[in-house]
């Protein structure tokens, strides 16, 4: 296959990152960018090439081999449908939607079309993950604590529940996705939000949320998400197994076991590059290392929404494992 011609839907922060990473690949050409804010698309093509397109239809008419959908959570749906309809491989930024109905509809369309997809859960490409798995070996995970303790990001839609889904869906989804990868599926969630939004105009999200999780494999865990700080304090996982403690973040792996304590650094940027490299290689037919296709991200979306639902309703949420992405049932039940 010749070089991969890529189109972008959305030209904001994360699209700029993908454009920069893709510009570093000598087998990728940016053919077009579309954004509901045309000036954002123009600025991106001025920097990285391609054409500013009026809409997704014009972008698809340029004949891309792959399209990245980099819109905020509330805006997912129409772009994906158009890309699937055109049969073009698609990379979707997380979270894949603000709700489950949209995500399940898109997953179903993808499955019917047999389309190649990837989702931006780049933590699955952290270089220390294999080492964490090796150290765990066949020791069962007993406990996991995940956290994302941060500020409110500087994008207007973030602090509105109907726009972002809230901090758990929008941000801590990376942590939940890594928990699924290392500890397995969650079967039950009970969560609490503090009911107090962060001090940002129009905010209606909880500024702190905490959840308890029960895993199918017997582990128990917690998730804490906060946006009350003025800085990013911590984002990552602590995993406890018999005589082993692992602490994993984008910066590396801290190991404590019978041999003492040691730190293995990881380069966060390397994982961000690897997620794009794996998708492009898969589209070009020269690689097969997409770790989170859309159907897999749907599992993380279900879990994140279960935490958010439980925090909102005060009820325990039980998750059932769906039989596949074509199943349109929510896979979520709320205790009466
Ligand atoms: N994987 C990661 O590490 C990572 C990092 C940052 C952001 N993200 C995710 O990427 C998504 C976007 O975040 P961002 O920081 O780029 O936001 P942003 O607000 O900076 O950019 C979003 C862009 O999308 C455009 N847009 C909105 N609706 C659109 C539509 N219907 N069609 C085309 N364009 C549309 C906006 O005009 C804006 O330019 C979020 O879901 C966020 O969680 C992921």
């Amino acid at each position: 296959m010749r070089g991969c011609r890529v189109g972008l839907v959305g030209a904001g922060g994360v699209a700029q990152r993908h454009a920069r990473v893709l510009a570093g690949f000598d087998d990728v050409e940016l053919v077009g960018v579309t954004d509901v804010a045309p000036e954002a698309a123009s600025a991106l093509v001025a920097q990285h090439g391609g054409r500013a397109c009026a809409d997704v239809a014009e972008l698809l008419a340029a004949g891309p081999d792959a399209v990245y959908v980099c819109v905020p959570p509330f805006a997912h749906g129409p772009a994906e449908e158009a890309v699937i309809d055109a049969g073009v491989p698609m990379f979707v930024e997380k979270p894949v939607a603000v709700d489950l109905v949209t995500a399940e509809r898109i997953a179903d369309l993808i499955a019917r079309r047999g389309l190649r997809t990837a989702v931006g859960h780049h933590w699955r490409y952290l270089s220390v993950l294999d080492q964490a798995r090796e150290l765990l070996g066949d020791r069962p995970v007993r406990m996991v604590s995940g956290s994302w303790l941060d500020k409110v990001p500087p994008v207007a839609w973030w602090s509105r529940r109907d726009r972002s889904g809230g901090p758990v869906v929008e941000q801590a989804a990376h942590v939940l996705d890594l928990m699924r990868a290392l500890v397995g599926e969650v079967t039950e969630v009970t969560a609490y939000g503090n009911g107090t939004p962060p001090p940002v105009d129009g905010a209606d999200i909880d500024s702190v949320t905490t959840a308890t999780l029960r895993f199918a494999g017997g582990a128990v865990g917690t998730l804490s998400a906060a946006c009350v700080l003025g800085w990013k304090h911590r984002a990552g996982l602590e995993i406890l197994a018999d005589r082993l403690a692992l602490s994993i973040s984008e910066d590396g792996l801290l190991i404590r076991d019978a041999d003492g304590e040691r730190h293995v650094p990881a380069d966060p940027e390397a994982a961000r590059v690897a997620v794009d490299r794996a998708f492009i290689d898969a589209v070009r037919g020269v690689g097969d290392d997409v770790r989170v296709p859309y159907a897999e991200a749907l599992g993380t979306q279900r879990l994140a929404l279960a935490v958010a639902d439980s925090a909102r309703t005060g009820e325990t949420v039980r998750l059932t494992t769906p039989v596949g992405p074509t199943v349109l049932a929510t896979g979520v039940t709320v205790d009466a």
Side-chain angles (χ1 to χ4, degrees), residues 274-296:
V275 71
D276 283 336
R277 189 66 260 171
F279 174 63
I280 297 296
D281 283 350
V283 171
R284 297 192 64 221
V286 298
D288 186 19
D289 190 27
V290 170
R291 300 184 187 177
V292 188
Y294 198 98
E296 174 63 12

Side-chain angles (χ1 to χ4, degrees), residues 68-117:
Y68 277 64
V69 179
C70 298
V71 299
F74 68 88
H76 285 284
E80 283 91 332
E81 282 174 25
V83 176
I84 295 164
D85 213 34
V88 176
M90 178 170 69
F91 185 111
V92 181
E93 258 311 336
K94 48 59 56 184
V96 290
V98 79
D99 62 353
L100 202 50
V101 171
T102 305
E104 287 183 333
R105 189 178 76 247
I106 299 301
D108 185 52
L109 293 172
I110 289 167
R112 286 176 202 279
R113 188 81 198 219
L115 206 66
R116 189 175 288 288
T117 57

Side-chain angles (χ1 to χ4, degrees), residues 157-181:
W157 48 265
W158 202 89
S159 53
R160 290 289 307 272
R161 196 184 293 263
D162 64 344
R163 312 249 94 193
S164 69
V168 171
V169 172
E170 213 287 328
Q171 204 168 50
H174 280 301
V175 176
L176 292 172
D177 187 67
L178 199 60
M179 280 187 186
R180 292 184 58 238

Side-chain angles (χ1 to χ4, degrees), residues 9-15 17 34-37 40 70-73 75 93-95 120 122 155 157 170 174:
V9 181
V14 83
R17 186 180 90 201
T34 185
D35 192 298
V36 288
C70 298
V71 299
E93 258 311 336
K94 48 59 56 184
H122 65 271
V155 279
W157 48 265
E170 213 287 328
H174 280 301

